[in-house]
């Protein structure tokens, strides 16, 4: 039992397999091989990183996850209903200004927790830069 636990401790935290996010894309400022190790995906010429998504962001790249617009439409409807039911505020997204200075300032300060695609530490760093 002691030997098995020592072996398990040595394996703890290691990658047991590589996975590819079905809608994930890594965007690097230059050739991706200058930043992280890559390999080809199984039965493909597609390059994939050998690092976890959070490590990739810390290496200075964007991790972008594309979501189907139908999924986002469902999220939008749910969010608007929750806002209306909890704080009695009805929002018309078609009338929101696209040049709101206070909103831009929040993004420039990296204050984007809870904003889809903008809440990761890597994205906040790039917004501040």
């Amino acid at each position: 039992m002691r030997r098995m636990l020592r072996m398990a401790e040595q394996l703890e935290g290691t990658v047991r397999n590589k996975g590819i996010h079905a809608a994930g894309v890594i965007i690097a400022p230059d050739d991706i091989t200058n930043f992280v190790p890559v390999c080809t995906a199984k039965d493909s010429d597609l390059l994939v990183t050998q690092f976890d998504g959070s490590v990739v962001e810390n290496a200075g790249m964007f991790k972008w996850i594309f979501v189907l617009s139908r999924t986002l439409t469902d999220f939008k409807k749910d969010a608007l209903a929750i806002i209306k039911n909890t704080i009695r505020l009805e929002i018309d997204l078609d009338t929101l200004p696209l040049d709101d200075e206070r909103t831009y300032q929040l993004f420039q300060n990296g204050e984007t927790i809870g904003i889809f695609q903008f809440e990761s530490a890597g994205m906040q760093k790039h917004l501040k830069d």
Side-chain angles (χ1 to χ4, degrees):
M1 183 65 107
R2 203 174 288 131
R3 181 172 174 241
M4 182 182 71
L5 287 174
R6 275 196 300 267
M7 290 173 73
E9 284 176 339
Q10 289 176 329
L11 293 173
E12 187 176 21
T14 61
V15 176
R16 68 184 158 91
N17 60 13
K18 64 181 181 215
I20 299 173
H21 193 292
V25 174
I26 303 297
I27 301 169
D30 194 11
D31 187 330
I32 194 168
T33 59
N34 293 332
F35 297 91
V36 295
V38 297
C39 63
T40 53
K42 185 178 179 183
D43 302 325
S44 167
D45 291 334
L46 179 67
L47 283 182
V48 295
T49 70
Q50 295 181 20
F51 283 166
D52 181 74
S54 61
V55 175
V56 166
E57 288 177 327
N58 289 334
M61 291 170 279
F62 287 121
K63 175 182 73 179
W64 199 267
I65 308 298
F66 292 91
V67 178
L68 295 174
S69 62
R70 185 177 75 212
T71 304
L72 292 176
T73 299
D74 291 343
F75 287 155
K76 177 178 68 175
K77 286 178 185 175
D78 292 345
L80 291 173
I82 290 168
I83 292 167
K84 184 177 179 180
N85 293 332
T86 56
I87 62 172
R88 307 285 185 249
L89 177 64
E90 196 159 340
I91 298 173
D92 179 2
L93 296 179
D94 292 327
T95 63
L96 291 177
L98 300 178
D99 59 353
D100 182 70
E101 284 296 321
R102 289 179 19 198
T103 302
Y104 279 115
Q105 191 61 52
L106 289 171
F107 275 75
Q108 290 170 359
N109 294 337
E111 297 176 40
T112 54
I113 295 296
I115 301 175
F116 182 68
Q117 297 287 22
F118 291 97
E119 66 182 338
S120 71
M123 184 59 85
Q124 289 175 346
K125 177 191 176 304
H126 288 291
L127 288 169
K128 290 176 188 178
D129 291 345

